[in-house]
């Protein structure tokens, strides 16, 4: 898995330097998403620090308008409803769930995953896909629910909501608030 992770990062680094204005380049970029479908268990150590998923999502978020149009066309025209969720949404949700995992030790101290730094960019890409899914009726809202976000401590979510509500519009544009993305939360 380490060799795959290194190769993935090198490939994404090379794509970041390209102009990404052609649909083929976007298709190549999207092919990297399948690597985040790996089952995250104790036997597979993949992207523990979240660097690869961060690089992938940051590359998508940095594409020019022409590439975004190609991404939008691929997502809304080429993917069926079933494949949209399976190939684009689920891998990102798996990565998000892994990044939001929190453990608590015997002293009631919370320990966050090192990959937590990737959460804002994963959520931003999921927001793009959520908007596309709503526009083209490609997924149900439940397809975007994150188990990792739903399992977060209620006090942490409330604190995030409180901070978001008291922030000015300028502060909101400069800071990440998980509660600004309610499509990730299950109503249950």
């Amino acid at each position: 898995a380490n060799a795959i992770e290194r190769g993935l990062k090198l490939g994404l680094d090379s794509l970041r330097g390209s102009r990404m204005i052609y649909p083929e380049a976007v298709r190549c970029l999207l092919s990297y998403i399948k690597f985040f479908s790996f089952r995250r268990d104790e036997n597979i150590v993949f992207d523990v620090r979240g660097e690869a998923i961060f690089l992938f999502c940051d590359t998508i978020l940095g594409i020019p308008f022409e590439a975004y149009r190609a991404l939008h066309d691929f997502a809304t025209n080429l993917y069926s409803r079933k494949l949209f969720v399976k190939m684009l949404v689920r891998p990102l949700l798996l990565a998000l769930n892994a990044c939001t995992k929190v453990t608590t030790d015997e002293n009631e101290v919370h320990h966050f995953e090192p990959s937590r730094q990737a959460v804002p960019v994963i959520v931003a890409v999921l927001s793009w896909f959520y908007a596309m899914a709503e526009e083209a009726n490609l997924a149900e809202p439940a397809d975007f629910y994150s188990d990792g976000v739903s399992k977060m401590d209620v006090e942490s979510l409330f604190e995030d909501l409180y901070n978001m509500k008291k922030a000015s519009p300028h502060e909101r544009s400069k800071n990440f608030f998980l509660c600004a993305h309610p499509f990730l939360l299950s109503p249950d």
Side-chain angles (χ1 to χ4, degrees):
N2 287 334
I4 293 171
E5 187 177 335
R6 280 193 308 276
L8 179 68
K9 289 178 191 173
L10 288 172
L12 287 168
D13 273 337
S14 68
L15 283 175
R16 288 171 65 98
S18 67
R19 290 191 44 212
M20 299 289 289
I21 60 172
Y22 300 107
E24 296 80 19
V26 175
R27 189 177 309 198
C28 178
L29 177 59
L30 281 179
S31 69
Y32 282 93
I33 201 168
K34 66 182 160 224
F35 291 104
F36 302 106
S37 293
F38 287 149
R39 205 67 201 170
R40 299 206 182 235
D41 63 23
E42 309 308 318
N43 299 324
I44 300 175
V45 180
F46 180 75
D47 198 26
V48 174
R49 292 186 302 276
E51 294 169 350
I53 189 66
F54 183 92
L55 191 57
F56 172 75
C57 291
D58 195 49
T59 303
I60 287 181
L61 295 171
I63 60 177
F65 180 71
E66 298 87 358
Y68 176 80
R69 279 195 327 213
L71 173 67
H72 183 276
D73 288 345
F74 285 142
T76 58
N77 297 325
L78 296 179
Y79 286 97
S80 66
R81 187 178 177 94
K82 181 179 174 184
L83 287 178
F84 180 84
V85 172
K86 180 181 178 184
M87 302 296 288
L88 298 178
V89 176
R90 232 176 254 138
L92 292 174
L93 286 175
L94 282 172
L96 180 62
N97 292 342
C99 293
T100 55
K101 186 176 167 192
V102 178
T103 55
T104 306
D105 64 18
E106 66 275 353
N107 296 323
E108 299 295 317
V109 175
H110 298 298
H111 299 278
F112 300 98
E113 291 295 312
S115 58
R116 187 175 184 199
Q117 50 100 15
V119 169
V121 292
I122 297 169
V123 171
V125 173
L126 280 168
S127 295
W128 281 12
F129 289 146
Y130 184 76
M132 292 174 200
E134 279 193 320
E135 175 187 318
N137 197 26
L138 287 169
E140 297 295 324
D143 292 327
F144 285 87
Y145 296 162
S146 166
D147 292 336
V149 173
S150 295
K151 290 178 184 174
M152 288 180 72
D153 184 40
V154 174
E155 286 85 20
S156 297
L157 290 172
F158 180 76
E159 182 181 348
D160 183 67
L161 178 63
Y162 176 78
N163 289 332
M164 182 185 83
K165 292 290 187 181
K166 79 174 191 178
S168 70
H170 179 69
E171 289 171 325
R172 286 184 190 176
S173 70
K174 294 179 145 266
N175 293 296
F176 174 76
F177 297 102
L178 192 57
C179 288
H181 308 280
F183 65 89
L184 295 170
L185 292 164
S186 170
D188 298 331

